[in-house]
Amino acid sequence: MVQKHESLALLGAGVFDGLHEEIFENQAVLIRNQRIERIVPMQDYHRDPEYREIPLDGHWVMPGMIDCHVHLSGGRASVEEQELGLVSEPMLMRAIRSVYEAQAVLKRGFTAARDVSWNGLYLKRMFFEGVMPGPKVIACGPGLSRTGGHGDMFQFTEEYTKSHAVWGLMADGPEEVRKGVRRLLREGADQIKVWASGGDNWPHDRMGDVHYSAEELKMIVEEAHRQTGTGVMCHAENRESIKLALDAGVDTIEHGESLDEELVEQMKRQGTILIPTLELIVNWYRDFIPLSEDGPQSKIRPDTFLYRDLYLCRDHDFGRGYSQSAVDSFQLAVESGVKIGLGSDTVFEPLTRYGEYSAREYKALNQHGMTKFQALHAGTKVSSEAVGMADFIGTLEPGKLADLLVLRANPLEDIDAFYDEANIHMVLTDGRIAVQDGALLWGDPNRTAV
């Protein structure tokens, strides 16, 4: 039986509300019926037996973090065998693993995550039922990919890929993409994901190529936006695809490492949010596609076609240049005032460990040009806007859902305040303690954590 939500009084903590660039010391945070009832200085707090009091002197309370770009895929593989690990195992096995993945994200202080996979469509329902702890999963379902595009797995037949691929839905032409969007909305998708460009995962999937036409992208956005509140997140890694996506009216640009002044001005006018996935992009040619010291890239799996690319020389200088261009693009967006959210693009283990990679993305935002407040603001308030949940989460305000972290370090002073797991004392979702000192805790508040 699901436990009734109890009323809580978090007492004596410093509060970072996600709105102000300061900590409010010695506060009482009162939680009732899943929501923040009020936040008051301790001198204004009056004891009420309805509330279970939790003394938190020496702790800090902040909004739960939000990861705007994850794949709860359930796959397990190294770089060399990623397609086999992601597609060849039974779908049910991968779905079961995805529960662990979502809970690992929660343990690292991320109380919401926007997911691109089939699994997220069902995880969100299970966690909402309250039978087990988990983050809020803002589900996109699989992303729309052209045949042979970034979400396709070319080593397998089209029929096998369509039935076993966990994060890509093949659709070509305006009418197919229209049907694809409607199919995803039928399954309960909160938002729609589309790959407008390649991504350098496979030999015919180059990040410099455009994968969808202006007509197709406009159809995707038009169909998604017919359902009020449904946003479109768009993978776009080159200038042309970013421009096409912005003209079509997408809501967030994922990666976007080819920005220029014209594009950032358009993003500002339209209110488009950038999800830069810096940890992944900046380290792409270190962690995903290793380059040789000099000479051609060492092949980590056989290429099937595009012979014209097989003799390209991509050495460490090439990798460093690409990384720097991603940093330059991000810094231009920061300096220009583009809205920026946090997204890790966690894809599978062991390469990108769930939860750990989300926390690494937060540090990357700070490392490459954001202040601590800007990085926290990106991971809370702006990310709540990106996932369409700004009315409910992202800041600590009366009436918002009580998704929050209790930390042992000041998040405005210590970059490791929640990156270091030892600093995470509690994680609350909908006013319930879901994680305490690294352990999942659910149900009876007197029950031992498991």
Side-chain angles (χ1 to χ4, degrees), residues 201-216:
N201 275 27
W202 303 286
H204 61 301
D205 170 37
R206 297 171 298 187
M207 64 181 66
D209 290 338
V210 176
H211 280 189
Y212 272 126
S213 68
E215 186 181 7
E216 289 168 315

Side-chain angles (χ1 to χ4, degrees), residues 3 18 106 196 207 224 236 248-249 261 282 292 299 314 336 381 422 441:
Q3 180 201 2
L106 179 70
M207 64 181 66
E261 292 184 2
V282 172
S292 58
K299 295 298 175 183
R314 291 189 171 182
S336 301
K381 187 177 187 301
L441 179 66

Side-chain angles (χ1 to χ4, degrees), residues 170-187:
M170 304 306 114
D172 303 296
E175 290 308 313
E176 278 196 19
V177 298
R178 183 205 299 270
K179 182 67 172 178
V181 171
R182 291 180 178 180
R183 180 186 177 193
L184 291 167
L185 294 177
R186 179 180 184 273
E187 290 290 331

Side-chain angles (χ1 to χ4, degrees), residues 39 45 117 162 176 199 287 316 327 371 424 442 446:
I39 303 172
Y45 169 72
S117 77
K162 288 177 180 178
E176 278 196 19
D287 296 343
H316 284 299
V327 172
T371 65
I424 302 175
W442 209 241
N446 297 314

